[in-house]
Amino acid sequence: MNYSEFAAFYDRLQEADYDTIGGYYHKLLCERGAAGGILLDLACGTGAFSRYFADLSYDVIGADISPEMLSVAAKKPCKNVQYLCQDMTKLDLFGTIDCCVCALDSFNHLPDKNALKQAFSRVSLFMNEGGVLTFDVNTPYKHYEILSGNTFIFDYEDLYCVWQNSDCEDGKVDITLEVFERDLDSDVWQRHTEVLSETAYSLEVITEMLTEAGFSNIKIYDWLSKEPANELSEKAVFTATKQ
């Protein structure tokens, strides 16, 4: 999933509160003693979290598979941030990292369990002992009960987005994004289409994969809280320490 069409509109359509989410992840890293040092912002997209953590004095590596997303990120230069165009399942860094954040359900975009396990293993390979991986994922509950078969509309000034979801099967939802942008000079609307998929895995399966990749002390929280995730959680947050 490269977001080749969607990159130009991502920041305008993304409703995430980066300061709140970034602060939450920073707190989780602090609690594990992993604040500061070299941070990998995995699936960094347009670099909003990379810039956030750089402002907190982390040395940041932002990695993303999409050259289009990274092109947008590069237009907002920030000290202490280096961007790499890499597939997370084939991550190949120049040195080791002290912590890794992968936010906004980026791991859900991987196509299957083998790809997810490979991504965990590549992060583990480059992480120093005692380093911390933290990330969020959409849960099977969200895929089956919230996304499955539903359509969502986002209506902004000069930008309109239709988000269509297929019925969920085996945790997978196919997503079609239709974005309509109005040209201010000609008053003509242009249509852009992005097709992607997200797959949700049980918390138990993710925990098993993390353990096999060399992580321990795994905690699972409900989104933006310290309460344990449960069967009704739409988004779960994992923290794990490299053995």
Side-chain angles (χ1 to χ4, degrees):
M1 189 279 298
N2 290 341
Y3 274 148
S4 56
E5 287 287 331
F6 198 48
F9 314 105
Y10 184 84
D11 286 339
R12 294 163 64 186
L13 291 171
Q14 178 58 258
E15 297 182 332
D17 184 338
Y18 289 109
D19 288 341
T20 297
I21 297 170
Y24 172 73
Y25 276 118
H26 176 57
K27 184 177 180 180
L28 292 179
L29 294 174
C30 287
E31 291 174 351
R32 293 282 182 116
I38 301 175
L39 179 145
L40 173 63
D41 180 11
L42 190 60
C44 66
T46 59
F49 287 120
S50 295
R51 295 186 294 274
Y52 180 89
F53 286 107
D55 287 342
L56 293 177
S57 299
Y58 291 85
D59 290 316
V60 179
I61 301 169
D64 200 281
I65 195 173
S66 169
E68 292 84 4
M69 295 287 270
L70 291 173
S71 178
V72 176
K75 294 177 182 177
K76 305 174 183 179
C78 180
K79 293 189 299 182
N80 300 331
V81 178
Q82 176 187 12
Y83 292 115
L84 300 175
C85 188
Q86 291 193 0
D87 182 336
M88 68 171 72
T89 66
K90 302 175 183 178
L91 191 69
D92 189 12
L93 303 181
F94 304 117
T96 57
I97 57 175
D98 300 301
C99 51
C100 174
V101 173
C102 187
L104 303 182
D105 55 87
S106 294
F107 279 131
N108 290 108
H109 289 290
L110 294 174
D112 52 45
K113 294 179 182 178
N114 288 335
L116 183 59
K117 183 177 180 179
Q118 184 65 20
F120 289 158
S121 296
R122 297 306 292 181
V123 172
S124 176
L125 178 64
F126 292 99
M127 183 169 284
N128 291 320
E129 182 178 347
V132 175
L133 167 63
T134 183
F135 61 91
D136 61 77
V137 289
N138 286 339
T139 63
Y141 174 83
K142 180 174 182 178
H143 276 212
Y144 282 104
E145 301 299 330
I146 307 297
L147 298 184
S148 181
N150 287 323
T151 298
F152 304 97
I153 304 296
F154 301 88
D155 190 2
Y156 302 94
E157 184 178 2
D158 303 319
L159 196 65
Y160 188 83
C161 178
V162 181
W163 176 330
Q164 298 173 290
N165 299 283
S166 70
D167 290 336
C168 185
E169 295 184 8
D170 297 324
K172 180 181 178 182
V173 174
D174 295 320
I175 301 168
T176 300
L177 297 170
E178 299 281 3
V179 179
F180 301 86
E181 181 186 33
R182 184 167 72 92
D183 185 280
L184 297 179
D185 295 326
S186 65
D187 200 31
V188 173
W189 289 83
Q190 295 182 331
R191 179 178 178 177
H192 307 268
T193 303
E194 190 83 61
V195 179
L196 53 111
S197 298
E198 289 201 19
T199 303
Y201 306 98
S202 71
L203 306 185
E204 292 78 15
V205 164
I206 296 173
T207 298
E208 180 180 346
M209 291 182 179
L210 286 169
T211 301
E212 292 177 358
F215 291 97
S216 62
N217 191 19
I218 300 167
K219 303 295 183 183
I220 313 172
Y221 304 114
D222 198 22
W223 179 232
L224 294 181
S225 81
K226 291 301 294 295
E227 295 297 320
N230 57 60
E231 67 276 5
L232 298 181
S233 295
E234 295 183 25
K235 189 183 287 287
V237 179
F238 284 75
T239 60
T241 300
K242 171 68 181 295
Q243 295 178 345

